[in-house]
Amino acid sequence: MKKYHNISRQTDKNKKEKIMKHKILSFLTAFAMVFGILAAPFTNANAAEATETKSVTIHKILLTKDALEKHDKDKKYEGTEIPNIQDFFGDTKAEEIDGVYFKLQKLNDGVADADIDVSNDAQWTDVAGKDGKTAGGAGLKLDTSDLKKGTYRIVEDLTKSTYKGKDGELLAASKAVPTLLTLPITNNDGVVEAAHVYPKNTQEKPKIDKNFAANNDLGKVEDKNNNQKSGAAYENYQKEKATVTADLGKSVPYEVKTKIKKDSHYKKLVWNDNMTKGLTYQKDLKVNGAGLTANDYFVTETDGGFTLVLKESGLTKVENAAKEGDVEITLTYSAKINGKAVVDKPELNDIALDYANKPGKDSEPKEFTPGKKEITMKKSWDVTGDQTVTEADKGVTAYFTLQKKNKEGKWEDVETVEKTDKNNFEVTFKNLDEKGTYRIVESVKGYEADYQKYNPETGEIEIKDHKDTDNPEKLNPTEPKVQLGGRKFVKTNNEDKKSAKLERLEGAVFYVKNGEGKDAKYLVAKDEDSKTVIADAKKALDKAVEEYNALTAEEQKGEIGKAKKDAIDKAQETYNKAIKENVSEYTWGEKNDPNVVELTSDGEGRFEIKGLEYGTYYLEEKTAPKDYAKLQSPEKFEVKVGSYVSTDAELQYNKDNADNGYGLQIKNKNVSIPQTGGIGSIIFVVAGLLIMGLAGYKMKANKEQA
């Protein structure tokens, strides 16, 4: 039989004292009877002693962890109200708290005294109407006047409690819970008519932090608190994290650590990670700690982040592990910077931990085979109880992602729709594979998504949103940031930017290199899923440039030249779009790679590169504008914070206004005889002099012969 707390049972010593008192009382009673007969005419009868416990008031006491551990469970307590709880419990911070739910249960018939187990739920049955929450700083008063004599227990139900500390703490370690009672309650003075019990708890909340993984090789932009490579560390929870830089498509590793304090027992642990549009989640989440396996949680993933929910088995593992000490759960995953990233704008992903003593309503998205070409998603709000739908509820931003299961059984994003309509969140997805397997994933900050069944007859699926205002605020650590850079250029003739003779040149083609030497590599754009979109766009652009440069100088100035210029601009626009929408990453390779990046100057001589890690790079000219000499050496340039917009020290990017900032001027010289700018021209001049010299010699020889 397990040990339990019982304020009604007495020690052997107390029992012996009661027997002695009983004998003395019997003697005195006999004496009093005789005396009473004599004194009856002159005295009134004494008031009757209490014979039942008419009420039990439950007070929830919050103690510090140290005070709870040191509290003497055998400290004498009479079952009556304690006038000063701080003195009694030896804790100056002890306080009575509200919002804790208790219920009274009766011992089932047939359970022998020797077999009573206060922790065995099967032995106990709820007493109707004997429950509620502590309130008003006066506890919870239960009327027990209508209850039969017998054995009862008081049970605390944290799933129905609404208590939360000022910093989001929830009730943790406890003593005297459950509490065993024998009605009527007695002490050395007899039956306690108005009894009081004082179950005790500490309060705790988890700790969490998120950062880049410690082993990252990311370039530093700013690191005020020197934590770029510290990994997740609880002391950095609200400290500013580092900002780093990376090329388009580079993998950025993250780490999240969560500490569950000793004796904590949560019924809800949910992690939500939402990434900005410039990051693509790689769906590579790994969960470690508390002996958790894939069967203990479910994960809902999209390109924009994930939701991790511990199942009942996972929560039980965490609670059991917490009985022995603090428990740490570690999440590791990665994201890549995609073509939607904005130059010099930090991309980040926001993780939040939702924890509670009551179960959550998060569920896994429902799979369905549409059987038709479209499906409609309808959204509803949980309005049960005292919750109502407010304008704030309807005014949130919701994201709905349609996913399709591939041949490997993995979910791939098909389309994501953003909705902010205050009255209608309905979304219809069209052009579906009638025999494919789909699901819809919702993300709404601050809400739990409860996925309903798919109705094949109507082609509709419903998602119900829940919001529990009784739960603590989610724990939200500061985010590490990653950003990429870019540079703008303007191709011109060999004139100063303020010269009236300045001409902007189109049709120049450049490669981007990461160095000057023979080991330098060329920037390559890797297509997603081995597509040829980028390569095809580049071929079309090359053709447009070739056709323009094939024109004579006179033709370039005429209508046909204008048409070819427009063709270059259109092909350049298509190429840029292909890079933005289809590139999965930048790599460094060889010049002959079919996806090597080529930058082409447009009708205003403009070209640019976005998506580079901050650093030093070089432009190598592939094709010079017609009638201009190709650059003989690479043009050095820097990519750094602000370089994409640049400064007015450089050439205005748009000829007519400065709205698009400034670009680095790249000059080309006109082709002349001799051609300047390289060893070829030197050879040409030398060869000419030799020819002239030989001609003179021949003429002299002919004269002499004559």
Side-chain angles (χ1 to χ4, degrees):
M1 184 182 69
K2 297 183 180 181
K3 294 181 179 179
Y4 51 80
H5 181 77
N6 187 348
I7 63 172
S8 299
R9 302 184 181 223
Q10 309 295 318
T11 63
D12 291 341
K13 181 179 179 180
N14 287 339
K15 288 180 180 179
K16 291 178 181 179
E17 289 177 352
K18 288 190 73 175
I19 292 171
M20 181 60 68
K21 288 181 179 180
H22 182 72
K23 290 180 178 180
I24 296 172
L25 184 61
S26 297
F27 172 79
L28 292 175
T29 301
F31 174 80
M33 289 175 66
V34 176
F35 181 80
I37 294 172
L38 297 175
F42 310 99
T43 62
N44 295 321
N46 293 327
E49 293 184 0
T51 59
E52 64 176 349
T53 299
K54 294 182 178 181
S55 67
V56 175
T57 301
I58 307 166
H59 305 267
K60 189 63 170 180
I61 306 301
L62 186 65
L63 300 177
T64 63
K65 181 177 288 188
D66 185 60
L68 184 68
E69 290 176 352
K70 293 180 179 179
H71 179 67
D72 184 3
K73 66 179 181 180
D74 295 323
K75 186 174 182 178
K76 187 176 181 181
Y77 168 59
E78 300 292 341
T80 56
E81 187 171 10
I82 298 173
N84 190 313
I85 59 172
Q86 293 182 350
D87 289 346
F88 183 85
F89 293 109
D91 184 0
T92 57
K93 295 183 179 180
E95 61 177 316
E96 184 169 352
I97 58 176
D98 299 333
V100 184
Y101 179 90
F102 292 96
K103 61 182 177 181
L104 188 68
Q105 295 181 322
K106 188 180 187 309
L107 183 68
N108 295 336
D109 294 335
V111 180
D113 286 352
D115 297 327
I116 294 176
D117 184 351
V118 73
S119 302
N120 185 357
D121 293 339
Q123 294 185 357
W124 305 90
T125 303
D126 292 354
V127 181
K130 309 299 182 184
D131 63 339
K133 289 185 287 188
T134 59
L140 169 65
K141 187 174 183 178
L142 301 178
D143 181 6
T144 57
S145 62
D146 57 341
L147 299 181
K148 296 180 180 180
K149 296 180 180 180
T151 304
Y152 298 81
R153 73 170 184 173
I154 295 171
V155 178
E156 179 181 327
D157 189 349
L158 294 180
T159 67
K160 295 183 179 181
S161 298
T162 56
Y163 171 80
K164 54 186 176 185
K166 63 179 181 179
D167 294 321
E169 302 94 341
L170 296 178
L171 297 177
S174 63
K175 286 187 177 181
V177 181
T179 300
L180 193 68
L181 300 176
T182 301
L183 294 180
I185 296 173
T186 62
N187 60 21
N188 291 337
D189 297 324
V191 174
V192 181
E193 186 173 8
H196 295 258
V197 296
Y198 294 84
K200 301 163 285 293
N201 275 84
T202 60
Q203 63 179 5
E204 294 285 4
K205 69 175 180 179
K207 288 187 174 182
I208 187 172
D209 190 49
K210 173 183 180 175
N211 204 353
F212 300 119
N215 59 346
N216 72 81
D217 61 349
L218 304 167
K220 182 174 69 175
V221 177
E222 188 176 57
D223 189 12
K224 294 179 181 179
N225 295 306
N226 195 32
N227 56 30
Q228 180 187 332
K229 296 190 176 184
S230 66
Y234 303 118
E235 63 270 20
N236 294 330
Y237 170 64
Q238 289 300 301
K239 289 183 180 179
E240 184 178 347
K241 304 297 195 315
T243 300
V244 301
T245 181
D247 288 333
L248 185 69
K250 185 166 185 177
S251 182
V252 181
Y254 295 98
E255 179 183 65
V256 177
K257 287 186 176 180
T258 304
K259 180 179 286 186
I260 307 299
K261 296 294 192 67
K262 186 178 183 297
D263 295 319
S264 296
H265 33 76
Y266 300 116
K267 295 299 182 183
K268 178 182 182 181
L269 287 171
V270 178
W271 293 260
N272 289 290
D273 192 292
N274 295 297
M275 303 185 178
T276 52
K277 294 179 180 180
L279 290 175
T280 301
Y281 169 54
Q282 295 302 287
K283 301 177 183 176
D284 56 354
L285 177 66
K286 291 182 174 59
V287 182
N288 292 289
L292 295 171
T293 69
N295 294 325
D296 297 319
Y297 53 82
F298 67 82
V299 182
T300 304
E301 299 176 301
T302 70
D303 291 348
F306 65 84
T307 297
L308 168 65
V309 181
L310 290 196
K311 299 178 182 177
E312 184 64 33
S313 62
L315 293 167
T316 299
K317 284 185 177 180
V318 172
E319 182 173 345
N320 289 338
K323 292 177 181 178
E324 304 300 323
D326 294 345
V327 179
E328 187 165 79
I329 299 171
T330 301
L331 313 181
T332 56
Y333 53 99
S334 66
K336 288 186 177 182
I337 305 177
N338 61 45
K340 295 179 182 178
V342 179
V343 171
D344 293 338
K345 180 181 179 181
E347 299 290 342
L348 49 90
N349 51 331
D350 182 29
I351 197 163
L353 173 62
D354 194 0
Y355 64 103
N357 282 333
K358 59 175 66 178
K361 295 182 180 180
D362 292 281
S363 62
E364 292 187 81
K366 302 295 190 296
E367 300 181 13
F368 60 89
T369 300
K372 51 182 73 178
K373 295 283 186 185
E374 63 180 50
I375 180 175
T376 298
M377 189 288 304
K378 293 190 173 182
K379 177 177 168 64
S380 64
W381 304 85
D382 181 11
V383 293
T384 59
D386 59 357
Q387 184 174 333
T388 58
V389 179
T390 66
E391 288 301 309
D393 294 325
K394 293 187 288 185
V396 300
T397 300
Y399 300 90
F400 304 100
T401 300
L402 177 70
Q403 295 184 319
K404 185 179 182 182
K405 185 179 286 187
N406 62 22
K407 294 180 180 179
E408 289 74 38
K410 296 182 178 180
W411 293 102
E412 295 180 347
D413 290 16
V414 178
E415 181 183 359
T416 297
V417 176
E418 179 180 334
K419 295 285 288 186
T420 57
D421 192 334
K422 290 187 176 182
N423 299 306
N424 180 21
F425 283 89
E426 184 174 301
V427 178
T428 298
F429 295 99
K430 300 181 179 181
N431 302 317
L432 305 185
D433 177 2
E434 296 169 281
K435 296 182 179 180
T437 302
Y438 294 88
R439 70 178 187 179
I440 296 174
V441 179
E442 181 201 60
S443 176
V444 186
K445 192 173 182 179
Y447 295 81
E448 302 170 323
D450 185 8
Y451 298 91
Q452 310 297 300
K453 291 183 178 180
Y454 171 67
N455 188 335
E457 295 182 0
T458 61
E460 296 177 349
I461 189 170
E462 182 181 342
I463 301 176
K464 182 178 288 186
D465 276 3
H466 303 270
K467 185 176 184 179
D468 195 338
T469 56
D470 290 332
N471 288 343
E473 290 292 324
K474 296 180 180 181
L475 298 180
N476 190 356
T478 54
E479 303 88 9
K481 306 175 185 67
V482 58
Q483 60 192 50
L484 41 68
R487 202 74 157 88
K488 294 177 179 178
F489 308 90
V490 181
K491 185 69 170 177
T492 72
N493 59 0
N494 195 29
E495 297 290 339
D496 184 75
K497 68 177 184 176
K498 295 182 179 180
S499 172
K501 298 180 180 180
L502 180 73
E503 292 183 22
R504 293 172 175 241
L505 307 177
E506 61 192 304
V509 183
F510 291 90
Y511 301 114
V512 179
K513 299 173 65 176
N514 61 4
E516 291 184 281
K518 62 179 182 178
D519 295 328
K521 298 295 182 180
Y522 294 79
L523 186 66
V524 175
K526 184 179 179 181
D527 278 17
E528 291 181 347
D529 303 323
S530 299
K531 296 176 182 176
T532 62
V533 178
I534 297 175
D536 292 344
K538 184 163 72 71
K539 289 178 183 178
L541 179 59
D542 287 343
K543 184 179 179 181
V545 172
E546 289 172 6
E547 290 179 354
Y548 176 79
N549 287 336
L551 301 176
T552 65
E554 202 63 33
E555 288 175 328
Q556 289 181 347
K557 294 177 182 178
E559 287 299 318
I560 189 171
K562 184 178 181 303
K564 295 297 183 183
K565 282 183 180 181
D566 292 342
I568 291 176
D569 290 352
K570 186 177 180 180
Q572 182 69 62
E573 184 180 346
T574 301
Y575 179 64
N576 292 342
K577 184 180 180 182
I579 291 281
K580 182 178 180 179
E581 294 181 354
N582 296 280
V583 66
S584 59
E585 64 181 292
Y586 279 155
T587 60
W588 296 96
E590 303 303 322
K591 188 190 297 187
N592 60 0
D593 192 296
N595 282 339
V596 66
V597 174
E598 294 183 0
L599 309 178
T600 304
S601 61
D602 65 7
E604 289 190 29
R606 303 170 303 184
F607 62 100
E608 64 180 50
I609 181 65
K610 295 189 291 185
L612 292 180
E613 181 178 341
Y614 297 147
T616 302
Y617 302 92
Y618 298 84
L619 289 177
E620 179 183 305
E621 193 166 33
K622 173 188 177 184
T623 305
K626 186 174 179 71
D627 297 330
Y628 284 84
K630 189 168 75 173
L631 297 177
Q632 297 301 305
S633 60
E635 191 80 20
K636 181 179 178 181
F637 68 95
E638 297 288 331
V639 174
K640 57 186 179 181
V641 177
S643 65
Y644 184 67
V645 177
S646 201
T647 69
D648 59 7
E650 298 172 358
L651 188 62
Q652 190 170 291
Y653 196 62
N654 286 352
K655 186 166 50 178
D656 298 327
N657 61 72
D659 291 347
N660 282 335
Y662 299 81
L664 181 65
Q665 185 179 5
I666 308 296
K667 297 179 181 180
N668 276 74
K669 296 180 180 180
N670 288 90
V671 175
S672 61
I673 300 180
Q675 181 179 340
T676 60
I679 192 169
S681 63
I682 297 173
I683 292 171
F684 186 86
V685 172
V686 172
L689 292 172
L690 285 172
I691 291 171
M692 291 174 65
L694 288 170
Y697 175 79
K698 187 67 175 174
M699 290 174 64
K700 184 179 179 183
N702 290 337
K703 264 185 182 181
E704 289 176 350
Q705 287 180 359

